[in-house]
Amino acid sequence: MSHVFIIGSTGGVGSRLVPKLVATGHAVTGLHRKPEQAETLTAAGAGAYLGDIIDMTVEDLTAATKDCDVIVFSAGAAGSGPDRTTAIDGGGVIKMMDAAKANGIKRVYLVSAFPDARRDAERKEGFEHYIRTKRMADNALAATDLDWVILRPATLVTEEGDGKVKAGLAIPYGTVARGNVAAFLAELIARPEIRREIIELTDGEVPVREAVAALVRG
């Protein structure tokens, strides 16, 4: 079992991922911005580390992840403005990469964005900046020698999901339940042989475990 550090542990995906990892025997530490969020994390069986990815330096994040084996980055600005998008979805990923390298942590998982997201809608600069920032972060991580996995979920919906998905290198655009994303991440973490892959994800017809197993290269 691994010690997993989750950046974005109180968000829609991260908060669902924490108990799934704990239930399968992993040690989990969640980064949280507000002191009152610590109680929720500890109640789920995880450790709580107080910090804001915007304000934290690489040295701060290195200290926070010192004893960990895996880092999951599922944080996001969630439409709170271009400056926060740049700082979290862009700069936060760079800090995560540097902290992982400093600690010798090889396995990192990045929740990114489906490249076809809202391509049929009116183009708004805020969202276009978000897509560009996500793409930049993906490019930066893919250029490292880390054992990264970049997960690109389609448009997120709030449901827990039914545990069935469609996953692949390039699939048709759609929606995906946050619970299904969390379940898929938990199963990915259980399969460390899946590495240096970019995976697109929507809701679908295949049980999560089978969908992840199909990604294992022979």
Side-chain angles (χ1 to χ4, degrees), residues 35 44 46 68 89 142 169 187 207 215:
C68 298
D89 299 89
L169 302 179
E187 192 63 31
L215 296 170

Side-chain angles (χ1 to χ4, degrees), residues 1-22:
M1 294 295 105
S2 301
H3 186 174
V4 183
F5 190 91
I6 303 177
I7 301 167
S9 65
T10 62
V13 171
S15 62
R16 292 169 168 86
L17 177 60
V18 168
K20 293 180 187 301
L21 293 177
V22 170

Side-chain angles (χ1 to χ4, degrees), residues 10 25 35 60 64 66 81 113 115 122 126 208 213:
T10 62
D60 293 333
K66 181 180 180 181
E122 179 186 354
V208 164

Side-chain angles (χ1 to χ4, degrees), residues 63-95:
T65 58
K66 181 180 180 181
D67 297 320
C68 298
D69 309 298
V70 176
I71 302 177
V72 176
F73 193 104
S74 65
S80 58
D83 290 344
R84 287 180 59 81
T85 296
T86 299
I88 298 173
D89 299 89
V93 176
I94 303 302
K95 292 176 187 177

Side-chain angles (χ1 to χ4, degrees), residues 3-214:
H3 186 174
V4 183
F5 190 91
I6 303 177
I7 301 167
S9 65
T10 62
V13 171
S15 62
R16 292 169 168 86
L17 177 60
V18 168
K20 293 180 187 301
L21 293 177
V22 170
T24 53
H26 295 287
V28 179
T29 299
L31 182 67
H32 63 102
R33 290 189 300 116
K34 301 175 182 178
E36 60 268 25
Q37 293 170 322
E39 185 176 347
T40 301
L41 285 165
T42 54
Y49 196 101
L50 181 63
D52 188 329
I53 192 63
I54 291 179
D55 299 324
M56 295 174 79
T57 64
V58 172
E59 291 74 20
D60 293 333
L61 193 56
T62 299
T65 58
K66 181 180 180 181
D67 297 320
C68 298
D69 309 298
V70 176
I71 302 177
V72 176
F73 193 104
S74 65
S80 58
D83 290 344
R84 287 180 59 81
T85 296
T86 299
I88 298 173
D89 299 89
V93 176
I94 303 302
K95 292 176 187 177
M96 180 268 292
M97 290 162 36
D98 290 342
K101 292 175 185 177
N103 282 325
I105 299 169
K106 294 292 289 183
R107 294 173 61 198
V108 295
Y109 297 83
L110 173 61
V111 179
S112 184
F114 207 107
D116 292 337
R118 293 175 58 178
R119 296 300 87 190
D120 58 349
E122 179 186 354
R123 302 295 174 88
K124 295 183 178 180
E125 179 52 31
F127 190 76
E128 294 304 302
H129 176 68
Y130 165 79
I131 290 293
R132 288 194 300 269
T133 301
K134 285 290 194 183
R135 179 68 173 179
M136 179 276 292
D138 289 359
N139 292 348
L141 182 57
T144 70
D145 62 357
L146 300 171
D147 288 340
W148 47 265
V149 175
I150 297 170
L151 182 63
R152 292 175 170 171
T155 295
L156 295 168
V157 294
T158 56
E159 288 81 0
E160 292 299 325
D162 62 0
K164 294 182 179 181
V165 297
K166 182 176 181 63
L169 302 179
I171 62 173
Y173 181 55
T175 61
V176 63
R178 286 177 170 85
N180 280 345
V181 178
F184 195 85
L185 274 169
E187 192 63 31
L188 277 175
I189 291 168
R191 302 296 298 260
E193 65 269 37
I194 300 174
R195 52 186 289 275
R196 302 182 70 81
E197 298 279 6
I198 297 175
I199 304 164
E200 296 179 355
L201 184 71
T202 65
D203 288 331
E205 301 298 327
V206 180
V208 164
R209 181 165 293 181
E210 293 179 20
V212 171

